[in-house]
Amino acid sequence: MHLSGRSDRHKEESAPLCEEEILTHLDTDRIGRHLEILEEIDSTNNFLGQSGNQFPDGAVAVTEFQTAGKGRHGRQWISPRGRNLMFSLLLKSPSLPPPIATLIGALAVIREANHQSKQVFLKWPNDVVAAGQGHDPPLKKVAGVLCEMKTDENGIPLLILGIGVNVNVTEKDFPEAMKEAATSLEILSGKNINRNRLLAGILTHIESYWSIAEQDGTEAIVDHAKDICSTLGRRVRIKVGKGEFEGKAVDLDPIGRLLIADDTGSVYPVELGEVVQTSQIT
Ligand code: BTN
């Protein structure tokens, strides 16, 4: 996500990240009970990946600014200081696989964002999007999830769930090339959003979805994802590795893979693809 740098006009527009306020609104037993609030860091994912053994399971690192924020597929995640939400969650010896953790991260953002207005959806597998204006409008990205696995020095597997949300940026903050492709919660709701409450809400929903998946199985998460997945029922062009193919996105399978029907009707599961274009089927 490419956003312009800090503008002094906006520096007072987001209340700073505040541990006390986050904890006041957090309704969890495990997730976010240990918080690292960082004024600046290269990447919250890197921070937890490198120093995970110093922090307990469920620890969260959140920052006002990343100097080397990472997106999926080796992209950068660039966001101005102090206006958006950039955080990572550390889960040790995770009970769920990365594709389901990714879906849970996106669903948690959607649930919290839709408290105010039902405007955001899932773009499989990791994007939170809003519809633009007009007939078959392009989807605009609001948030993204980057899930990484590491092993600590004692051989314990670490899952790091990184989430970036465009919160209090406005149209003019996006470079021209991004205006069509990105939006923010403030643009969608017309209101300045309290990032501390937003973070507490997202973490609370992550814990609740995680428990549902552990108790009822990952299909319960996938079923929920299907209800709010803007990708399903659309014609998609999808990048898988170096190749690309087109078809109709027909379903998600029980482990969260996207099922694509090609023009002959054969259905293929896609696990690690990127949907590069979608259009309504007319
Ligand atoms: C994507 O849509 O490509 C995923 C973007 C993930 C960005 C977040 S911001 C917090 C965390 N730290 C990072 O370096 N990346 C993730």
Side-chain angles (χ1 to χ4, degrees), residues 43-45 66 69-72 77 87 126 141 144-145 163-164:
S43 147
T44 53
N45 269 36
Q66 293 186 134
K70 300 187 293 182
R72 288 177 91 228
W77 184 266
F87 69 95
N126 75 314
K141 183 154 170 168
V145 181
I163 301 186

Side-chain angles (χ1 to χ4, degrees), residues 157-202:
L158 307 177
L159 183 148
I160 297 149
L161 191 65
I163 301 186
V165 188
N166 293 336
V167 185
N168 289 321
V169 282
T170 56
E171 295 272 1
K172 57 187 174 302
D173 299 309
F174 294 106
E176 211 49 51
M178 290 298 296
K179 285 193 196 313
E180 279 290 295
T183 189
S184 74
L185 295 180
E186 175 169 328
I187 295 169
L188 291 170
S189 67
K191 285 186 256 172
N192 191 271
I193 309 286
N194 180 306
R195 292 178 301 154
N196 297 307
R197 289 182 191 202
L198 180 69
L199 176 59
I202 294 170

